[in-house]
């Protein structure tokens, strides 16, 4: 891990911003601070961070709006760790679907935040363990679909583009990197979000359902993602690397 990782902290609470900045800088990281969307954009223009810590409950443009904006622009590959004062599962799911890489509910300990930041950075920089996409192979083919790993969208058999949320893209990449292998909910949670699922966390099941909808994959007779009772999920389609764009 680079000891000068740059973290942009976006939170309207000045005390929280300064507390997190002080702690992260003691751990060898560089920080930039922003209280709202306008200041976040200015900070991004000044220097692209390695990760954004983004509060969900911001006045005006909230964290969901700003996360979606990040994912749609030139900083779309910068990982986002979202902070929320609410433990509602719906908030967590919406945040992940908007493109957040992980979330942390307030109140939290600064050590836990640091661990989450390091886990997200490590996961972001890690090459897939099985299939490694190179500059000459930016498309992954499976069934009637192709995944463009550069722009993070799907192409159907007719070349029509289907956008994916950040969470959907990460989940699909995990499946494509591990085809024909049974993956438990804990494994999927760890590979996509860097942590284990708790007994009440159904976010992976909901994301699988949404990804199936994107792929036109029926739950009763799935072509791509099959459910194995009491075991997990398996991506059953053959996967190939395609060197040339469509």
């Amino acid at each position: 891990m680079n000891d000068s990782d740059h973290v942009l902290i976006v939170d309207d609470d000045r005390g929280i911003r300064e507390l997190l900045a002080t702690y992260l800088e003691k751990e060898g990281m560089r920080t930039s601070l922003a209280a709202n969307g306008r200041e976040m954009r200015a900070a991004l223009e000044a220097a692209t961070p390695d990760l954004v810590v983004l509060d969900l409950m911001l006045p005006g443009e909230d964290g969901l709006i700003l996360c979606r904006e990040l994912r749609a622009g030139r900083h779309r590959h910068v990982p986002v760790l979202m902070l929320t004062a609410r433990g509602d599962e719906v908030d967590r799911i919406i945040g992940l679907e908007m493109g957040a890489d992980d979330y942390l509910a307030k109140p939290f300990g600064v050590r836990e935040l640091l661990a989450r930041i390091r886990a997200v950075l490590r996961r972001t920089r890690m090459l897939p363990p099985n299939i490694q996409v190179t500059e000459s192979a930016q498309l992954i083919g499976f069934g009637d679909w192709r995944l463009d790993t550069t722009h993070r969208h799907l192409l159907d058999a007719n070349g029509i583009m289907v956008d994916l949320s950040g969470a959907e893209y990460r989940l699909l990449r995990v499946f494509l990197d591990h085809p024909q292998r049974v993956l438990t909910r804990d494994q999927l949670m760890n590979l996509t979000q860097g942590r284990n699922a708790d007994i009440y966390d159904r976010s992976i099941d909901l994301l699988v359902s949404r990804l199936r909808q994107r792929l036109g994959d029926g739950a009763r007779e799935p072509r791509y993602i099959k459910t194995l009772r009491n075991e997990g999920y398996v991506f059953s389609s053959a996967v190939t690397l395609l060197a040339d764009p469509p």
Side-chain angles (χ1 to χ4, degrees):
M1 181 72 61
N2 188 333
D3 63 0
S4 60
D5 289 317
H6 180 195
V7 178
L8 170 58
I9 302 167
V10 186
D11 195 304
D12 63 317
D13 188 315
R14 179 178 179 181
I16 290 179
R17 292 197 308 272
E18 294 181 350
L19 172 66
L20 297 183
T22 299
Y23 181 78
L24 294 178
E25 287 170 7
K26 284 183 178 179
E27 295 297 324
M29 295 184 174
R30 294 180 293 120
T31 62
S32 298
L33 306 181
N36 50 48
R38 178 181 57 79
E39 292 183 9
M40 182 191 80
R41 296 182 190 97
L44 289 169
E45 288 301 316
T48 299
D50 295 294
L51 180 141
V52 177
V53 174
L54 178 61
D55 187 25
L56 173 65
M57 302 299 291
L58 293 172
E61 297 174 300
D62 65 22
L64 296 178
I65 293 174
L66 296 179
C67 186
R68 182 166 52 192
E69 178 181 314
L70 282 169
R71 287 295 171 255
R74 64 186 181 90
H75 296 98
R76 61 182 177 274
H77 298 309
V78 176
V80 174
L81 194 159
M82 188 165 285
L83 303 179
T84 173
R86 294 179 291 184
D88 191 344
E89 183 178 18
V90 173
D91 289 332
R92 299 199 299 265
I93 293 297
I94 293 175
L96 294 172
E97 290 182 349
M98 289 297 101
D101 293 83
D102 200 358
Y103 65 87
L104 189 59
K106 295 180 179 178
F108 56 84
V110 288
R111 289 184 179 180
E112 182 179 5
L113 176 68
L114 177 63
R116 292 289 186 90
I117 289 173
R118 285 175 170 167
V120 171
L121 289 173
R122 183 168 57 249
R123 190 170 66 248
T124 301
R125 292 163 177 166
M126 187 184 303
L127 286 173
N130 290 352
I131 296 178
Q132 298 182 354
V133 179
T134 65
E135 289 300 318
S136 62
Q138 297 173 338
L139 294 174
I140 302 176
F142 60 97
D144 296 327
W145 296 93
R146 286 165 292 180
L147 179 68
D148 184 330
T149 62
T150 300
H151 300 98
R152 298 193 171 198
H153 58 235
L154 278 169
L155 298 168
D156 68 12
N158 298 314
I160 297 175
M161 183 180 71
V162 176
D163 286 323
L164 296 172
S165 71
E168 290 165 351
Y169 175 82
R170 289 192 300 276
L171 181 60
L172 180 56
R173 277 303 307 268
V174 168
F175 279 131
L176 295 180
D177 292 340
H178 303 84
Q180 317 299 330
R181 288 178 55 184
V182 179
L183 297 171
T184 66
R185 290 175 64 250
D186 275 347
Q187 287 174 318
L188 289 172
M189 183 71 81
N190 191 270
L191 288 167
T192 58
Q193 299 175 34
R195 57 190 174 83
N196 293 328
D198 61 49
I199 191 171
Y200 301 109
D201 195 333
R202 312 305 298 178
S203 58
I204 284 297
D205 301 314
L206 292 172
L207 283 176
V208 167
S209 177
R210 290 186 63 86
L211 183 56
R212 279 174 168 160
Q213 292 178 24
R214 298 285 195 191
L215 299 174
D217 209 19
R220 292 187 176 181
E221 296 183 4
R223 180 180 178 186
Y224 301 109
I225 305 171
K226 294 185 177 180
T227 303
L228 299 183
R229 189 176 180 84
N230 298 324
E231 292 188 61
Y233 298 98
V234 61
F235 194 83
S236 58
S237 176
V239 176
T240 57
L241 296 181
L242 306 174
D244 297 320

